[in-house]
Amino acid sequence: RLILFYRNHGFLDIKVDTVVTRLNASQAAVRFVITEGQPTRIGALAITGLEQVPVRATVEKSLPLQVGAPFDRLALADARDSLARRLRNSGYPDADVLVNYDTDAPSHLAAVTFAALPGPRARIGAVQVTVHPFGKGSGVDTAVVRRLAGLKTGAWYRQQDLERAKSTLYVNQLFARAGVEADSAGVRADSTLPVRIDVVEGAPRAGTAATP
């Protein structure tokens, strides 16, 4: 685990020796001798696939991995996730990011390339709402669900808006279950992406008022 920890944080030459000294019949002393070695650092960092993305500067800004920093695999994963998340919050619902890297042992340098696959940019299309009422009632009006969700047809698709809509529907405690998902059929020819909202009403809550 010590070796894995150090390698994940850029110390690829890490060496760990274990010294065990018997103290008595029931006790032993354990000592780890760690030789970190020279860390491998990012010598080159490139991001491809964003040439046609109008919000490229925003997507690339302040990534958790920079030239000169240690070749940290956790920061590498965070940077990849940040790029993908920023694209999905900028109108690219199918965005993905691939990572390629190469390390050079003699120079202790690493070259990292993120290959972005934005996919088509889309706006929110039709918002379809389905309400499953509690019991035999008619259920909450779909207009109320739309207002609570706050999703606007024609706005750029942003994954965080769908997540916020789902959270808002839960917070209001009207529903036992709420689903807010982009249509699985994907982006339409007119560059819109329909969204489906599916809610299940919870049991009615009784309230009491205190008498002064």
Side-chain angles (χ1 to χ4, degrees):
R1 289 183 180 180
L2 285 169
I3 290 174
L4 181 60
F5 173 83
Y6 271 90
R7 286 181 176 171
N8 280 341
H9 289 283
F11 292 86
L12 305 186
D13 297 333
I14 179 67
K15 294 181 180 178
V16 178
D17 293 322
T18 308
V19 180
V20 180
T21 304
R22 176 71 67 177
L23 301 179
N24 52 50
S26 60
Q27 292 181 319
V30 180
R31 181 164 59 98
F32 295 101
V33 181
I34 300 173
T35 305
E36 294 181 343
Q38 182 178 341
T40 296
R41 297 186 177 277
I42 305 295
L45 177 63
I47 304 175
T48 64
L50 299 179
E51 294 78 12
Q52 303 302 318
V53 174
V55 291
R56 178 174 184 173
T58 300
V59 173
E60 294 181 335
K61 184 179 180 180
S62 302
L63 289 174
L65 194 71
Q66 301 292 332
V67 172
F71 177 60
D72 190 311
R73 295 175 188 267
L74 302 183
L76 185 73
D78 286 345
R80 176 206 170 274
D81 292 344
S82 292
L83 286 168
R85 184 174 61 253
R86 291 173 185 179
L87 283 168
R88 291 169 192 158
N89 287 329
S90 300
Y92 297 92
D94 299 323
D96 198 4
V97 178
L98 306 180
V99 182
N100 183 46
Y101 62 83
D102 184 41
T103 58
D104 182 68
S107 66
H108 291 90
L109 292 175
V112 177
T113 300
F114 294 104
L117 306 172
R121 199 177 193 197
R123 297 181 183 274
I124 292 179
V127 179
Q128 178 181 337
V129 178
T130 301
V131 177
H132 302 276
F134 180 84
K136 298 181 179 180
S138 58
V140 175
D141 194 296
T142 57
V144 174
V145 178
R146 291 177 187 275
R147 179 175 57 80
L148 291 173
L151 298 176
K152 297 181 179 179
T153 297
W156 287 115
Y157 172 91
R158 299 199 304 173
Q159 183 64 39
Q160 64 188 22
D161 288 345
L162 271 64
E163 294 168 356
R164 183 169 56 248
K166 183 175 181 179
S167 176
T168 300
L169 291 169
Y170 270 122
V171 165
N172 279 274
Q173 300 183 347
L174 290 173
F175 309 106
R177 182 176 64 81
V180 182
E181 303 289 342
D183 194 316
S184 58
V187 180
R188 301 293 198 267
D190 61 355
S191 297
T192 63
L193 182 62
V195 174
R196 300 180 184 275
I197 300 177
D198 191 275
V199 294
V200 177
E201 273 191 341
R205 295 175 178 269
T208 58
T211 303

